[in-house]
Amino acid sequence: MTTQLFSQKNGITSALLGLTILWHPETERIGEQFIGPAEEGTIEVCRYTPLFFRPGQDGIALGHRAIARAPLVVRRTSDDSVELAAPDSRMALEVNGTVLSGTRRFTRDEVKGGVVLGLGGHVLLCLHWMTSFPRPNLFPGLLGVSSGAIATRELIRQVAGTDLAVLLLGETGTGKDVAARAIHQASKRSANPLVAVNMATLSESLAAADLFGAVKGAYTGAQAPRQGLFAEADGGTLFLDELGDTPASVQPMLLRVLETGSYRPLGASTDARTTARLIAATDQDLDARGFNQPLLRRMEAFVIRVPTLRERREDIGVLLLHMLKGCELNHAELAAFPPALVSEMCNYDWPGNIRQLANVARRMVMALQAGERPVLSQYVHAPAPARALGLGYPASAAQPRSASQKAPADATPRRKLAEVSNDDLLGALEEHGWQISGAAQQLGLSRPSLYKLIEAHPAIRPAALIPREELDAALSAHGGDLARCASRLKTPSEALRRHLRVLGLDTSPAQS
């Protein structure tokens, strides 16, 4: 079991203070950690101290010549705040992307959000709390050295060997599908199929046939017997993604399967049985949506909340390195990736979580390979929250809702795909300059669900398929205004921007 690193002091739960290497020119060192004091104490960070390590390996100092010999002093105080004192040196020192001179103090909650230290323009560290000791990763697909990542892997290890239903909770893009695959691969069912279905894609009329199958003639167009997803996943695992979008008519049928292992294919006269294990995932407040309560309680046999990326800032370097390697960058290209760009990425709060980080990383690699100098603001739609020195986070920013908590009164209620008309979609895109994030939020949809509607819309076109002469005409007519060009061409603005860059076309507004 994971060893918990907590102590009680004056009624407050304390954890160890840790340092994680977010970026280093020797990229194999990214993810190494130093475990600091559990109570009051001081860490001196310089070229020669402290020693950073991975589980089972000896510790090594940071070593890079850009880091001063004089130490940055990190002092944990009696109230669990942390004070930073800049070294007496010419070394460039940044904290949360802002130059530090003198001394600054961070509260316990600010340290919980992760404090990014930039040393000498080449090395980045994350100062954070640790609630479990580092340990080897037995699930290669679930990357991360944070306590949150370790706790998630431990829960997966515990449940994988059972047949319990599992409910994965977490914001969009946190990797709930990766966690589902890890549970299946670590289970005794791993040799059998893992069948995944996005419940938002099931129509109300055919959902029962999709899940449970149908006999010939069961409905109009059923000219042959149809095998359902439960039959396909028999002996293996059935993963129900976007559980909150399950049509109401089949929720009682799913409850029956969980309770008895039996179901009846559409139009059949006898029941069928399944040994498929159910794993489900949602980013929604199912209580607030009026979801079938007995079914929800059954699915809550084992709940895993997958943490957001802003709750595990110390993992951004490890994840980014993995993504860059996936772009087939060689060792020299990885070492040359701009640390200033990494600093921007480590200081951003990533509303789209790991999926958004991966998308941005790929686009930045393309820009660098094209000889451009990318900055983060080119690829994200909202400004990063203020993380300057001395600025904290509201409590709500670090505490995503669980399935049992109520949504804020002003939050846009989640909707099913079938409830969004073609006109609704066009109206939301127009209102938000054809940007995906704003339109999805207005419509109460996840980004993946919105993309499905866009692909099916008869009037919306992929940017890559728009003729060059139309692109030229739009740019000429609107002076390079991307939102107006996207509206005229009926294509999402970010996809249009990427395509125009590939073609070498200018998207900057014309100067008067």
Side-chain angles (χ1 to χ4, degrees):
M1 295 181 63
T2 303
T3 304
Q4 299 298 312
L5 307 182
F6 295 109
S7 63
Q8 286 287 331
K9 180 174 58 179
N10 299 325
I12 299 176
T13 301
S14 296
L16 294 178
L17 189 62
L19 284 168
T20 297
I21 299 178
L22 290 170
W23 201 254
H24 195 288
E26 300 171 28
T27 54
E28 64 274 8
R29 303 209 52 193
I30 295 170
E32 292 180 0
Q33 296 181 302
F34 167 76
I35 302 176
E39 297 182 350
E40 293 179 68
T42 298
I43 307 170
E44 293 189 344
V45 181
C46 67
R47 189 182 305 179
Y48 306 116
T49 61
L51 303 182
F52 291 79
F53 71 97
R54 294 184 189 277
Q57 297 182 2
D58 294 333
I60 308 174
L62 291 172
H64 195 275
R65 63 179 181 273
I67 300 176
R69 295 180 175 88
L72 162 67
V73 178
V74 181
R75 186 171 74 87
R76 179 174 184 171
T77 65
S78 59
D79 63 353
D80 280 345
S81 62
V82 176
E83 294 179 352
L84 303 179
D88 182 14
S89 75
R90 293 180 296 174
M91 178 185 72
L93 174 62
E94 291 187 350
V95 179
N96 291 347
T98 303
V99 175
L100 172 68
S101 60
T103 302
R104 291 293 186 275
R105 178 180 178 274
F106 291 87
T107 67
R108 184 171 182 264
D109 285 342
E110 287 170 334
V111 176
K112 182 179 179 180
V115 178
V116 178
L117 310 176
L119 307 178
H122 289 82
V123 175
L124 293 168
L125 306 178
C126 185
L127 180 70
H128 57 94
W129 299 121
M130 301 178 74
T131 55
S132 58
F133 280 117
R135 60 189 311 176
N137 183 1
L138 302 180
F139 299 95
L142 290 167
L143 299 176
V145 296
S146 66
S147 296
I150 292 170
T152 300
R153 292 195 294 262
E154 175 62 18
L155 290 172
I156 287 173
R157 186 195 65 79
Q158 290 176 15
V159 78
T162 75
D163 288 326
L164 290 174
V166 180
L167 180 60
L168 300 166
L169 302 178
E171 294 181 10
T172 182
T174 50
K176 299 184 294 295
D177 56 334
V178 178
R181 288 196 297 272
I183 295 170
H184 175 74
Q185 288 300 324
S187 74
K188 59 189 176 184
R189 302 167 175 268
S190 59
N192 294 322
L194 168 65
V195 178
V197 56
N198 187 320
M199 302 304 283
T201 65
L202 300 183
S203 68
E204 187 83 30
S205 59
L206 292 178
D210 289 331
L211 290 167
F212 307 113
V215 301
K216 180 179 179 181
Y219 56 89
T220 302
Q223 299 178 355
R226 178 178 180 182
Q227 185 183 50
L229 295 172
F230 271 97
E232 188 179 339
D234 194 45
T237 303
L238 180 57
F239 175 45
L240 309 179
D241 200 5
E242 304 274 11
L243 180 67
D245 291 320
T246 303
S249 60
V250 300
Q251 291 179 24
M253 302 178 193
L254 287 174
L255 175 61
R256 183 183 179 222
V257 175
L258 276 170
E259 289 180 332
T260 68
S262 298
Y263 63 92
R264 180 161 295 191
L266 205 62
S269 57
T270 58
D271 287 349
R273 291 194 59 80
T274 182
T275 60
R277 180 206 197 149
L278 280 184
I279 301 176
T282 185
D283 62 354
Q284 302 178 29
D285 181 346
L286 298 185
D287 282 318
R289 285 184 61 82
F291 193 82
N292 183 296
Q293 291 297 296
L295 174 58
L296 178 56
R297 300 289 89 84
R298 284 282 182 174
M299 286 305 310
E300 289 176 336
F302 198 96
V303 177
I304 300 176
R305 193 184 75 84
V306 183
T308 62
L309 196 50
R310 62 180 172 271
E311 294 173 278
R312 41 185 294 211
R313 196 174 303 275
E314 59 268 38
D315 286 336
I316 292 179
V318 172
L319 293 166
L320 178 60
L321 180 63
H322 174 75
M323 293 160 187
L324 295 178
K325 287 180 177 178
C327 294
E328 299 183 349
L329 298 188
N330 59 37
H331 186 272
E333 290 171 326
L334 289 172
F337 196 84
L341 195 53
V342 179
S343 178
E344 282 191 281
M345 299 174 82
C346 290
N347 279 295
Y348 188 63
D349 269 350
W350 300 106
N353 292 293
I354 298 173
R355 182 184 297 119
Q356 185 186 19
L357 175 65
N359 291 338
V360 169
R362 282 192 292 268
R363 288 155 61 188
M364 286 183 168
V365 168
M366 292 171 63
L368 288 167
Q369 291 174 336
E372 301 175 15
R373 284 188 166 185
V375 294
L376 184 62
S377 59
Q378 294 174 295
Y379 305 100
V380 294
H381 300 307
R387 282 180 45 78
L389 296 175
L391 296 180
Y393 299 91
S396 59
Q399 297 294 334
R401 297 192 309 275
S402 71
S404 61
Q405 293 173 314
K406 301 302 181 186
D410 59 349
T412 303
R414 294 300 297 265
R415 299 168 68 183
K416 296 182 180 180
L417 292 179
E419 297 173 352
V420 180
S421 70
N422 284 343
D423 289 342
D424 291 338
L425 177 58
L426 284 178
L429 288 168
E430 287 286 353
E431 185 169 338
H432 292 276
W434 284 76
Q435 291 185 357
I436 298 297
S437 296
Q441 183 175 4
Q442 177 178 320
L443 293 171
L445 297 173
S446 65
R447 288 172 63 95
S449 295
L450 189 73
Y451 279 119
K452 290 184 178 69
L453 289 180
I454 287 173
E455 290 171 3
H457 198 291
I460 300 176
R461 300 184 291 173
L465 299 182
I466 298 174
R468 175 64 180 264
E469 55 269 21
E470 283 193 57
L471 297 173
D472 290 336
L475 289 171
S476 176
H478 300 297
D481 186 315
L482 192 68
R484 295 174 67 189
C485 289
S487 175
R488 172 172 171 157
L489 297 167
K490 295 293 184 286
T491 190
S493 59
E494 271 304 306
L496 178 60
R497 176 186 283 119
R498 292 195 300 270
H499 185 54
L500 292 175
R501 282 186 181 147
V502 170
L503 296 177
L505 297 176
D506 185 15
T507 59
S508 58
Q511 300 298 315
S512 56

